[in-house]
Amino acid sequence: MKKGYFGEFGGCFVPELLMPPLLELEEACADILPGEEFRAELDGLLRGYAGRETPLTLCPTLSRELGFNLYLKREDLLHTGAHKMNNTLGQALLAKRMGKSVLAAETGAGQHGVATAAAAARLGLSCVVFMGEEDTRRQAANVMRMRLLGAEVRPVAGGTRTLKDAINEALRFWIAEQRTTHYCFGTAAGPHPFPTLVRDLQSVIGEETKAQCRSAFGALPDVVAACVGGGSNAAGMFHPFVADRAAGAVRLAGIEAGGTGEPGCHTSAPLNLGSPGVLHGQYSMLLQDADGQILPSHSVSAGLDYPGVGPEHAWFRKSGRVEYHVVVDAGALRAFARLCRSEGIIPALESSHALAWVLENAAALPAGGNVVVNLSGRGDKDMDIIREHMPDLCLPARTAEKEDGLCHRQ
Amino acid sequence: MSPTINQDGKGERTLSSTMEQAGGPRPARTLPPGSGQGDASVLTRRIEEANAAGRIAFIPFITAGFPSPAKFSAALRELDEGGADIIEVGVPFSDPVADGPVVEEASRRALAAGTGLRGILEELAADAACRRAPVVLMGYYNPFLQYGLTRFAQDAAAAGVSGCIVPDLPVDEDGPLRAALAARAVALIPLVGVNTSPARMRAYARGAAGYVYLVSVLGVTGERAAFADELAGAFTRAAGVFSLPLAVGFGFSGPEQLKNLPFRPQAVVVGSALLRFLDAGGSAADFIRKFFAD
Ligand SMILES: Cc1ncc(COP(=O)(O)O)c(C=O)c1O
């Protein structure tokens, strides 16, 4: 297979001016990442600073209702609230070994921006985060967290003012500042070597899950589900299963965001509803028009709101090893509410998509079996969106009682 | 090719001293349009002719459909009549990562006005017979890919397009487009930078035709006041590797900057400054007159 390709997908479609830093990064990945010393230092940070390993939590109430054992891989408990930290700590450490002093990052929901800012602060690097102007308004609390952590947040006014434009601007910044700067890309997409690098750094999720399943029920799970934006939490969860021949029977499901689901509405589901093309350095599945112009995406969860997807997922889909489904905003919101009340866990709206697929398809999942959902993040960042979409859920208990005279609380 | 910069032996001449020749008679194209084949070598020839006349060849860049479809058509005609040696026509893309704010905004507005690759090729084809300046299309890979590379090469050649510049297609990935264009004698013009190693330049040189585009700054398109010292070194390196004329671009707005360069390129590309001038209501005819007169 050609370097940086997964089947026909992947590659490195960037301006020549970015080839030297990408080649430098590729070399650093080969030389530094496998080193014993690097591994030990990263492991120390993941444990002592970020809070690994994260638990595999059995959901007793939902399991009873669904008829199989539902487990959550608790990336929501990782420092800064999502799986993003696995990647940013690894890349920050790598950047430091490469002699870089600045981390640049793009962010949509702000989770990757916060995780990069935290890793930079921890390791003594400066940090510049590009964020669409629209997103800085939608996710104001995360802008503040990044600033508290010492990062400079640069609002991006070009294009659709969302994640894809933040990536464009971060790439432009990297062209100019490549000598001092490492571009800490936030998902398992983009030009080679990012899809491989980010997947490898996130694979700790799947490795731990396999071991935790063995000790919890003495076997591999029947089904594993994860949400897919750019594809990093899913790649990190799936890869150790795909790479393991003994895990060939484990059903792997990636869940994309379907937006409102109304006819004609934009989605964030390029694997299911897009076509192959080139964006942000990679040949992969895309939301595009007939002229090859990139279409705006939409999802209630900002972290899934992206018109592209990592090339390895395009390949997993084509090869048939992983199945990909679509869950719309309403389904994710319902799953969000159900997990809050049933299990005392507030999930990120991104992760709620994966959970929603399991809840909506429970009847078709193996009764008495073991199903794992990757809970990629926690929902604290989503409070404003929840208040907007599900105001009833947010009413104080006493107000709710007054309105219809019934008590809604158990 | 030796790294000599002033091939015409009149290296001390400035652009302004020779501008009177800009609009003079020039040879007609060798291949009639409609033959189904392009003519990559005309690009090299036009630059060499300008150099032989003591000029740095002038290559304006305009985004198709900007400031409006009608104004673009007028600008294309005026640049040709005003003596442009080659004209680069930008194919707008929604996500132009190698471009600064001026070209990005121009692309956005051109797309909003309905500009697309098919329409651009049709317009170029309609005027191909009366245009003297060869046209080079500059655009990101995905619109070409979705058009179909073989069909694109065929239609581009038929529209009198002599070359293509694809800023997000490094030599490592350019095989399919290069093959499609080569079959129609359309050049795939290399885009190299101040940070491109001699080894990578040699990789580009293997399939190069037309001219070589040297990006003068480590950055995106847009005007700059000054250029890094490393540009002169990169120019010398490139001149040692490529046997084609070298055009510098990204950051140039006027002839002043060319006089201050410590070397003499064979051609210069001017984009953002022209787009801004057009958007402010100026005409391409005035821009090119002013550029040549300064
Ligand atoms: C909690 C959470 N899950 C998932 C994602 C989607 O990214 P990916 O598909 O790379 O895991 C994000 C992105 O911001 C996120 O914050």
Side-chain angles (χ1 to χ4, degrees):
Chain A
M1 201 147 53
K2 208 175 143 191
K3 193 182 74 176
Y5 274 82
F6 309 91
E8 75 243 54
F9 301 104
C12 196
F13 296 84
V14 296
E16 173 58 33
L17 272 62
L18 275 181
M19 287 305 296
L22 284 167
L23 291 166
E24 183 190 359
L25 178 60
E26 183 187 34
E27 207 170 292
C29 288
D31 294 348
I32 299 171
L33 280 188
E36 200 106 332
E37 204 190 324
F38 180 88
R39 292 270 120 203
E41 192 173 351
L42 179 55
D43 195 54
L45 280 168
L46 288 173
R47 283 173 192 283
Y49 172 68
R52 296 218 77 88
E53 68 180 23
T54 60
L56 184 72
T57 301
L58 175 67
C59 298
T61 307
L62 283 175
S63 295
R64 221 169 20 248
E65 291 169 10
L66 296 168
F68 50 78
N69 297 317
L70 176 65
Y71 290 90
L72 302 177
K73 179 59 175 163
R74 302 292 305 282
E75 295 303 295
D76 61 315
L77 294 179
L78 201 64
H79 180 43
T80 69
H83 68 290
K84 300 287 180 187
M85 201 85 219
N86 299 320
N87 175 40
T88 60
L89 278 175
Q91 288 201 46
L93 205 54
L94 185 63
K96 213 167 165 176
R97 296 282 168 105
M98 290 169 74
K100 306 289 180 187
S101 55
V102 183
L103 291 184
E106 82 292 343
T107 198
Q111 286 304 109
H112 174 61
V114 170
T116 307
R122 170 72 198 211
L123 293 171
L125 300 163
S126 350
C127 182
V128 183
V129 180
F130 295 88
M131 189 170 186
E133 216 170 49
E134 192 64 37
D135 290 332
T136 60
R137 269 194 294 274
R138 287 197 289 195
Q139 307 284 340
N142 270 341
V143 173
M144 176 150 175
R145 292 169 80 201
M146 287 183 256
R147 292 199 169 128
L148 287 174
L149 291 162
E152 179 194 343
V153 180
R154 294 200 192 171
V156 176
T160 56
R161 299 168 191 208
T162 58
L163 178 59
K164 88 177 170 66
D165 307 285
I167 295 176
N168 293 338
E169 206 54 36
L171 287 168
R172 291 174 187 134
F173 176 84
W174 200 28
I175 291 176
E177 306 296 332
Q178 54 186 259
R179 295 197 172 113
T180 55
T181 301
H182 171 69
Y183 182 15
C184 183
F185 199 69
T187 189
H192 175 70
F194 285 114
T196 309
L197 169 61
V198 177
R199 175 203 73 198
D200 288 350
L201 291 171
Q202 291 290 3
S203 286
V204 64
I205 302 173
E207 299 292 358
E208 283 180 7
T209 301
K210 280 167 69 181
Q212 289 168 319
C213 286
R214 287 214 171 85
S215 56
F217 46 87
L220 289 170
D222 299 297
V223 182
V224 178
C227 66
V228 180
S232 69
N233 87 86
M237 176 57 101
F238 295 162
H239 193 259
F241 288 94
V242 172
D244 179 357
R245 218 171 289 160
V250 178
R251 203 176 147 192
L252 303 173
I255 313 304
E256 296 191 282
T260 63
E262 288 154 14
C265 173
H266 296 299
T267 72
S268 302
L271 288 165
N272 282 285
L273 303 169
S275 56
V278 169
L279 174 68
H280 293 148
Q282 56 176 338
Y283 179 71
S284 186
M285 298 298 281
L286 283 184
L287 299 175
Q288 58 183 329
D289 68 15
D291 287 340
Q293 307 294 341
I294 309 309
L295 291 172
S297 53
H298 172 76
S299 169
V300 69
S301 65
L304 302 182
D305 195 345
Y306 179 58
V309 65
E312 194 166 20
H313 289 291
W315 172 239
F316 284 159
R317 172 181 163 275
K318 182 148 188 178
S319 72
R321 177 61 188 96
V322 181
E323 56 193 278
Y324 293 91
H325 305 283
V326 181
V327 161
V328 299
D329 291 350
L333 289 163
R334 269 196 304 274
F336 171 94
R338 194 163 166 194
L339 191 69
C340 289
R341 298 287 163 97
S342 306
E343 305 293 343
I345 295 171
I346 302 176
L349 279 173
E350 291 80 7
S351 328
S352 301
H353 284 74
L355 181 67
W357 178 76
V358 169
L359 300 180
E360 289 170 8
N361 295 279
L365 297 178
N370 297 298
V371 174
V372 175
V373 169
N374 192 25
L375 205 72
S376 56
R378 61 177 176 243
D380 306 33
K381 68 185 172 55
D382 296 321
M383 291 302 110
D384 289 343
I385 301 162
I386 296 299
R387 192 177 297 121
E388 182 187 328
H389 288 270
M390 297 193 295
D392 290 354
L393 209 60
C394 307
L395 292 174
R398 223 179 308 136
T399 317
E401 281 166 36
K402 269 187 202 150
E403 284 187 354
D404 56 7
L406 295 171
C407 180
H408 294 278
R409 293 293 177 89
Q410 274 105 30
Chain B
M1 184 178 127
S2 78
T4 313
I5 291 163
N6 301 309
Q7 296 163 307
D8 57 4
K10 300 175 221 163
E12 296 319 303
R13 282 213 190 184
T14 60
L15 209 55
S16 56
S17 68
T18 54
M19 275 313 115
E20 62 276 13
Q21 296 161 27
R26 281 183 290 162
R29 61 172 65 249
T30 44
L31 276 173
S35 66
Q37 288 296 108
D39 181 9
S41 66
V42 69
L43 299 170
T44 316
R45 262 196 329 277
R46 288 298 163 85
I47 294 174
E48 285 172 353
E49 283 159 16
N51 295 162
R55 291 191 298 115
I56 294 173
F58 175 55
I59 308 180
F61 166 92
I62 42 173
T63 300
F66 181 83
S68 68
K71 285 181 183 162
F72 162 73
S73 305
L76 188 62
R77 213 168 34 245
E78 289 169 24
L79 290 172
D80 186 40
E81 287 163 1
D85 295 292
I86 293 166
I87 302 171
E88 287 183 5
V89 172
V91 179
F93 182 52
S94 52
D95 293 80
V97 289
D99 285 299
V102 174
V103 178
E104 182 183 27
E105 176 65 6
S107 301
R108 200 187 58 72
R109 281 168 53 187
L111 288 172
T115 309
L117 183 53
R118 195 181 319 264
I120 295 169
L121 290 171
E122 280 166 12
E123 176 168 0
L124 291 174
D127 280 351
C130 45
R131 210 171 26 243
R132 287 182 310 175
V135 165
V136 168
L137 287 183
M138 182 158 184
Y140 292 82
Y141 192 41
N142 199 47
F144 299 129
L145 191 62
Q146 301 306 325
Y147 193 95
L149 298 183
T150 306
R151 190 161 72 92
F152 166 66
Q154 181 184 328
D155 292 355
V161 170
S162 305
C164 290
I165 303 173
V166 187
D168 60 344
L169 197 64
V171 67
D172 320 63
E173 305 286 356
D174 74 4
L177 180 60
R178 177 181 300 284
L181 292 178
R184 296 286 170 176
V186 175
L188 182 58
I189 293 158
L191 198 72
V192 298
V194 294
N195 62 345
T196 307
S197 67
R200 287 190 64 80
M201 283 188 184
R202 283 193 291 277
Y204 280 101
R206 279 193 280 278
Y211 57 96
V212 174
Y213 195 133
L214 175 62
V215 177
S216 54
V217 292
L218 210 46
V220 295
T221 54
E223 299 150 71
R224 302 289 198 290
F227 295 98
D229 299 339
E230 57 198 0
L231 178 56
F235 186 87
T236 307
R237 270 199 309 283
V241 169
F242 295 101
S243 55
L244 292 167
L246 296 180
V248 292
F250 281 37
F252 289 94
S253 47
E256 260 321 298
Q257 291 166 304
L258 290 172
K259 288 178 200 153
N260 295 334
L261 285 179
F263 59 90
R264 190 176 155 91
Q266 280 81 53
V268 62
V269 183
V270 176
S272 294
L274 172 56
L275 294 176
R276 274 201 313 110
F277 189 83
L278 293 175
D279 194 32
S283 75
D286 283 345
F287 186 89
I288 198 166
R289 235 187 332 267
K290 271 172 92 168
F291 191 91
F292 280 149
D294 269 346

